[in-house]
């Protein structure tokens, strides 16, 4: 199910890194590349670095926001050189390969790579469910983006090879898509505002803390419907008063 795994690059600056990404992906059997606001693409340098993976570049999807890139995904993994500081549940590269491969049997999943200089912004991180950090020496833990990507794609491919023949059909619960989660957060925020729990003039950290709570709990589709039902009941009761 490697087709269900999206590789998402945010605002990549050097076109060479986009080309090297395409090659790293094709080497590991991946083809679904999504570029969020690339700085210089298409470009000759990307094409030349892609070598025999030009098809991956040609079929890349270009979008203008991370939200758009991952809306149809049920699992979104952020990559970060900053170890545990970004506050999402943590996976090693191997665990990420296994998790992404397993969940891609049922739904689309994504791995998100940050900007060369700035990595991922807080806004991006808030839209991800987990993070993967590639173990590296503390003297210089930041890898080149396409080399970090190569390691993650290798682990996905290893997990896929080990996985062939397994049947997950009825094993696990389904999880909501990212756009459904965002819909829930929007609904929660509007209800909490309407009952004066949140003050739009002083939003503070409350919604970020709610996101952290639900990220940890990882509600299934059924549980998300239950929560949406509860919010709707509060809403209609409030409208009656
Ligand atoms: N100064 C930036 C570094 C960005 S490196 C920061 O603070 O995050 C560019 C991208 O390469 C990162 O956003 C991440 O996607 C990937 N990357 C680099 N080193 C990594 C590592 N050790 N583990 C996981 N991803 C890494």
């Amino acid at each position: 199910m490697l087709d269900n795994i999206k590789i998402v690059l945010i605002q990549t600056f050097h076109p060479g890194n986009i080309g090297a990404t395409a090659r790293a992906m094709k080497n590991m059997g991946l083809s679904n590349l999504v570029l969020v606001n690339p700085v210089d693409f298409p470009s000759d340098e990307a094409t030349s670095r892609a070598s025999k993976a030009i098809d991956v570049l040609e079929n890349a999807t270009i979008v203008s926001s991370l939200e758009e890139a991952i809306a149809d995904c049920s699992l979104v993994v952020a990559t970060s050189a900053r170890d545990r500081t970004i506050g999402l549940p943590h996976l090693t590269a191997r665990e990420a390969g296994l998790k992404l491969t397993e969940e891609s049997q049922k739904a689309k999943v994504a791995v998100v790579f940050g900007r060369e200089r700035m990595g991922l912004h807080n806004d991006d991180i808030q839209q991800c469910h987990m993070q993967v950090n590639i173990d590296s020496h503390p003297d210089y833990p930041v890898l080149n983006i396409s080399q970090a990507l190569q390691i993650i794609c290798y682990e996905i491919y290893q997990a896929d090879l080990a996985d062939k023949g397994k049947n997950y059909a009825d094993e696990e619960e389904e999880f909501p898509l990212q756009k459904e989660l965002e819909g829930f957060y929007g609904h929660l925020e509007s209800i909490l505002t309407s009952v004066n729990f949140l003050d739009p003039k002083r939003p503070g950290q409350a919604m970020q803390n709610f996101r952290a709570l639900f990220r940890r709990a990882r509600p299934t589709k059924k549980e998300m419907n239950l929560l949406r039902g509860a919010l709707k009941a509060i809403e209609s009761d409030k409208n009656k008063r």
Side-chain angles (χ1 to χ4, degrees):
M1 293 312 285
L2 294 177
D3 287 352
N4 264 353
I5 304 181
K6 288 190 191 184
I7 302 293
V8 180
L9 302 190
I10 300 188
Q11 262 186 335
T12 310
F13 186 80
H14 293 291
N17 281 334
I18 300 180
T21 288
R23 182 172 185 167
M25 287 174 62
K26 190 160 181 176
N27 288 151
M28 299 296 142
L30 292 158
S31 56
N32 201 343
L33 174 62
V34 185
L35 304 171
V36 181
N37 293 326
V39 174
D40 181 8
F41 184 80
S43 100
D44 290 346
E45 198 182 343
T47 306
S48 118
R49 288 285 297 278
S51 203
K52 294 201 167 59
I54 292 166
D55 52 326
V56 177
L57 288 186
E58 284 172 350
N59 293 322
T61 311
I62 300 176
V63 296
S64 58
S65 69
L66 175 61
E67 190 177 350
E68 205 180 320
I70 59 176
D72 59 352
C73 294
S74 70
L75 173 69
V76 184
V77 178
T79 57
S80 171
R82 279 175 288 159
D83 199 8
R84 285 158 206 264
T85 56
I86 66 176
L88 300 176
H90 188 270
L91 301 170
T92 63
R94 183 133 317 154
E95 289 163 347
L98 290 166
K99 185 114 196 120
L100 287 157
T101 307
E102 183 183 325
E103 296 212 12
S104 70
Q105 313 286 327
K106 286 206 158 179
K108 288 201 167 68
V109 300
V111 199
V112 181
F113 292 83
R115 301 153 189 83
E116 286 97 328
R117 289 226 179 111
M118 301 298 294
L120 295 173
H121 296 161
N122 196 36
D123 262 12
D124 308 321
I125 293 166
Q126 286 302 320
Q127 296 175 62
C128 299
H129 307 155
M130 299 180 184
Q131 65 159 311
V132 52
N133 173 253
I134 299 163
D135 291 327
S136 45
H137 198 280
D139 283 354
Y140 192 16
V142 181
L143 281 71
N144 164 271
I145 183 172
S146 64
Q147 295 177 348
L149 192 139
Q150 181 75 77
I151 290 174
I152 301 296
C153 293
Y154 170 80
E155 290 295 350
I156 290 171
Y157 188 57
Q158 286 298 303
D160 184 67
L161 289 177
D163 227 48
K164 290 240 158 37
K166 276 196 201 162
N167 184 7
Y168 290 101
D170 301 315
E171 267 177 35
E172 292 207 7
E173 287 281 6
E174 279 183 61
F175 295 102
L177 304 182
Q178 183 56 24
K179 63 180 169 200
E180 294 164 342
L181 271 178
E182 290 297 340
F184 166 69
Y185 290 133
H187 197 178
L188 180 66
E189 188 168 6
S190 88
I191 301 275
L192 293 179
T193 306
S194 75
V195 298
N196 297 319
F197 180 79
L198 295 178
D199 177 358
K201 285 194 213 99
R202 289 188 305 155
Q205 293 292 306
M207 282 313 298
Q208 293 204 7
N209 292 340
F210 275 119
R211 278 175 182 260
L213 165 66
F214 287 109
R215 199 149 46 219
R216 215 165 50 236
R218 204 155 180 230
T220 60
K221 261 192 178 173
K222 270 193 209 148
E223 290 164 340
M224 183 103 302
N225 289 339
L226 180 72
L227 287 163
R228 288 301 288 258
L231 291 180
K232 279 194 194 122
I234 297 171
E235 200 168 25
S236 73
D237 186 57
K238 210 176 167 292
N239 291 341
K240 278 190 223 134
R241 285 170 200 234

